[in-house]
Amino acid sequence: MGTPRVLILGGTSEARELASELTERGMPVVSSLAGRVNAPRLPRGEVRIGGFGGPAGLRSWLAEHDITAVVDATHPFAERISESAATASELSGIPLLRLHRPGWRQGPGDAWHWADDLGSAARLLPSLGDRIFLTSGRQGLGAFAHLSSLWFLARCVDPPTPVPPPHITVLLSRGPYSVEAETALLREHRINVVVTKDSGGAMTEAKLVAARRLDLPVVIVRRPPRPAVSEVTDVRSALDWILHYSSKE
């Protein structure tokens, strides 16, 4: 049946690495990005930007473009596209693999406080501190807007819309970050609480190490549940899955 044509639902460093590995091997690959970042880091190979229109739209797109395998390598909090991919895979019979980046692990000296969502994270803050380093994304700033007695430094890749209230200062920046730079940033702004999502990965982990160095509490939002599909936790395993599938074609 020939070489499989792979769709990578991307936007992560793992997705870009996988696309590069497949391109190096001459395999047809399409990387799909949601389009939420103004200037995303583009992977090698063919790229499409934008949504599919839900599970039915994705199923139609897969058929129209002769896709034979799908790898969901989206951000751990991009639950909507993961649900669409699982449904479309089940309806079409096209195999689906989830490339699932492991979450961060709490270690000695970490003062972590877990929250189920951003609203729960916001409710924890008044008892923990009053100068908050917020790294949970621009789309969730509204969950903290009512906490006018607290001051926030919110780090985002792109400017948030609508404009946040005056007690939330926005820092536009993109990782990776070093421990030294993160430590200096926390000290400069007199931060006494860090808020983040359990994104995992090394690109933004430095803030957790910096918080540990400075004995700061960290509020971490748990990952949302994902559909039950085949999963791997590293690019090498995802590549092996594709190559194994290719050998059976």
Side-chain angles (χ1 to χ4, degrees):
M1 295 177 61
T3 302
R5 178 171 164 84
V6 181
L7 171 67
I8 300 176
L9 302 172
T12 61
S13 58
E14 292 85 359
R16 291 190 294 274
E17 183 181 346
L18 180 60
S20 180
E21 292 283 355
L22 293 174
T23 302
E24 286 286 341
R25 288 165 171 76
M27 287 191 174
V29 57
V30 181
S31 295
S32 178
L33 307 181
R36 293 180 178 176
V37 177
N38 289 334
R41 293 188 176 106
L42 297 179
R44 294 183 61 186
E46 184 179 343
V47 178
R48 72 171 301 278
I49 296 178
F52 292 95
L58 176 55
R59 180 190 183 187
S60 297
W61 192 93
L62 296 175
E64 291 168 4
H65 292 81
D66 299 319
I67 298 298
T68 53
V70 179
V71 177
D72 177 8
T74 55
H75 190 275
F77 285 80
E79 61 264 37
R80 183 176 299 177
I81 184 59
S82 291
E83 291 170 359
S84 291
T87 302
S89 172
E90 183 177 0
L91 292 174
S92 65
I94 295 175
L96 168 67
L97 180 73
R98 170 78 180 152
L99 175 49
H100 184 72
R101 177 195 301 169
W104 289 312
R105 286 189 155 189
Q106 186 171 0
D110 287 325
W112 288 7
H113 302 261
W114 289 92
D116 289 332
D117 51 38
L118 291 177
S120 300
R123 287 191 288 274
L124 289 173
L125 293 181
S127 65
L128 295 175
D130 60 0
R131 295 186 65 84
I132 318 298
F133 184 37
L134 189 58
T135 65
S136 53
R138 65 187 175 112
Q139 293 182 324
L141 295 186
F144 305 91
H146 65 287
L147 298 172
S148 57
S149 63
L150 309 184
W151 181 85
F152 293 87
L153 176 67
R155 184 165 66 193
C156 311
V157 175
D158 294 320
T161 53
V163 176
H167 61 284
I168 298 180
T169 298
V170 174
L171 171 64
L172 298 181
S173 179
R174 189 200 299 262
Y177 305 100
S178 69
V179 174
E180 290 72 21
E182 295 289 69
T183 303
L185 182 70
L186 296 178
R187 283 176 170 156
E188 176 187 354
H189 294 280
R190 307 192 314 281
I191 298 297
N192 50 31
V193 186
V194 175
V195 178
T196 189
K197 293 178 177 178
D198 184 21
S199 300
M203 185 172 289
T204 59
E205 188 178 16
K207 64 193 168 195
L208 302 177
V209 180
R212 183 188 311 136
R213 282 185 174 181
L214 299 175
D215 294 320
L216 301 182
V218 180
V219 176
I220 302 186
V221 178
R222 292 185 178 91
R223 296 179 175 190
R226 291 296 182 92
V229 301
S230 297
E231 288 188 353
V232 295
T233 58
D234 61 88
V235 172
R236 179 70 249 181
S237 297
L239 184 60
D240 288 345
W241 180 84
I242 294 170
L243 293 177
H244 176 72
Y245 172 70
S246 173
S247 70
K248 297 172 71 173
E249 287 286 286

